[in-house]
Amino acid sequence: MSNTPANANTSSHPLPGISDRKVLRQRARRNIEDGAITESYSADRKAVIKLLNDALATEYVCVLRYYRHYFTAKGMLADAVKAEFLEHAQQEQAHAGKLAERIVQLGGEPDLNPDTLSARSHAEYKEGSDLRDMVRENLVAERIAIDSYREMIDFIGDRDTTTKRILEEILAQEEEHADEFADLLDGWIGE
């Protein structure tokens, strides 16, 4: 007696767009050294790795700026705003980790060269002259990140759904950061 249910499709004819098991197995054995990158990956891997490395540089510049602001913030509202700076620094560091991991999965190497980070970063490293200026500069940097992540997502499209999902998750958090800073500026009570 067979263990196959009576209504199971045992035909070797796959559904449109779905590869036959035998084909999947054969393709998986070719170029095995490419790890997670299989023949079905259709994005320009070199271009995606470059985009991710530029985003990685942006995240690290943001981490450094947030820590600078965290340590140097002073004034009546400093304690509350410092907490935001620290939280955002930690979240940007997590973004950098996700980007670096994806770069490696794609067969690339994360470019963490400190000599070129700021040149490759989309956002600027602005120290800010006072607490309000720090908030403003961080809002500008978040707005830059939002636009750059949207452009990367559009460029990648559905050719690399894993990278797209990672970028979408980061974008959502960058939008939250921008919203928080906009709220801080809107409610500012002093100079």
Side-chain angles (χ1 to χ4, degrees):
M1 183 167 229
S2 171
N3 288 338
T4 305
N7 63 351
N9 181 1
T10 58
S11 167
S12 65
H13 301 291
L15 298 170
I18 304 296
S19 298
D20 178 82
R21 274 185 297 267
K22 185 177 179 181
V23 171
L24 284 171
R25 292 171 183 169
Q26 288 171 345
R27 283 196 319 232
R29 293 187 178 284
R30 290 194 295 263
N31 303 316
I32 198 165
E33 66 280 357
D34 288 341
I37 304 304
T38 63
E39 290 178 27
S40 65
Y41 185 87
S42 62
D44 178 342
R45 221 178 350 160
K46 286 182 181 178
V48 172
I49 290 169
K50 184 193 180 318
L51 288 174
L52 293 177
N53 264 315
D54 289 349
L56 182 62
T58 302
E59 294 295 343
Y60 272 109
V61 166
C62 289
V63 167
L64 294 171
R65 187 187 60 255
Y66 277 128
Y67 274 121
R68 158 89 181 175
H69 292 171
Y70 170 73
F71 289 116
T72 62
K74 56 187 171 187
M76 187 186 318
L77 304 174
D79 288 344
V81 178
K82 282 176 73 159
E84 286 295 319
F85 292 159
L86 180 60
E87 179 183 354
H88 291 192
Q90 294 165 343
Q91 290 170 341
E92 303 294 350
Q93 180 71 52
H95 297 168
K98 289 178 183 181
L99 294 168
E101 287 174 0
R102 185 60 180 158
I103 290 166
V104 172
Q105 287 174 349
L106 292 173
E109 295 183 7
D111 185 349
L112 299 173
N113 183 340
D115 293 335
T116 64
L117 280 179
S118 63
R120 291 182 293 114
S121 172
H122 298 128
E124 299 167 290
Y125 181 88
K126 296 278 191 174
E127 294 177 353
S129 57
D130 57 28
L131 189 60
R132 186 175 185 180
D133 196 38
M134 291 176 188
V135 170
R136 186 181 301 112
E137 288 302 332
N138 285 309
L139 176 55
V140 168
E142 294 295 350
R143 289 170 52 84
I144 291 168
I146 288 166
D147 279 347
S148 65
Y149 279 116
R150 280 192 189 131
E151 289 176 3
M152 285 185 271
I153 290 164
D154 289 344
F155 174 80
I156 291 170
D158 291 330
R159 295 184 310 268
D160 180 343
T161 52
T162 300
T163 299
K164 180 180 177 181
R165 187 187 76 251
I166 291 167
L167 296 176
E168 288 172 338
E169 289 170 5
I170 294 172
L171 171 61
Q173 197 158 49
E174 303 294 12
E175 289 174 338
E176 287 176 26
H177 292 174
D179 189 51
E180 290 165 358
F181 284 131
D183 286 350
L184 280 173
L185 280 180
D186 187 46
W188 208 268
I189 56 173
E191 286 297 315

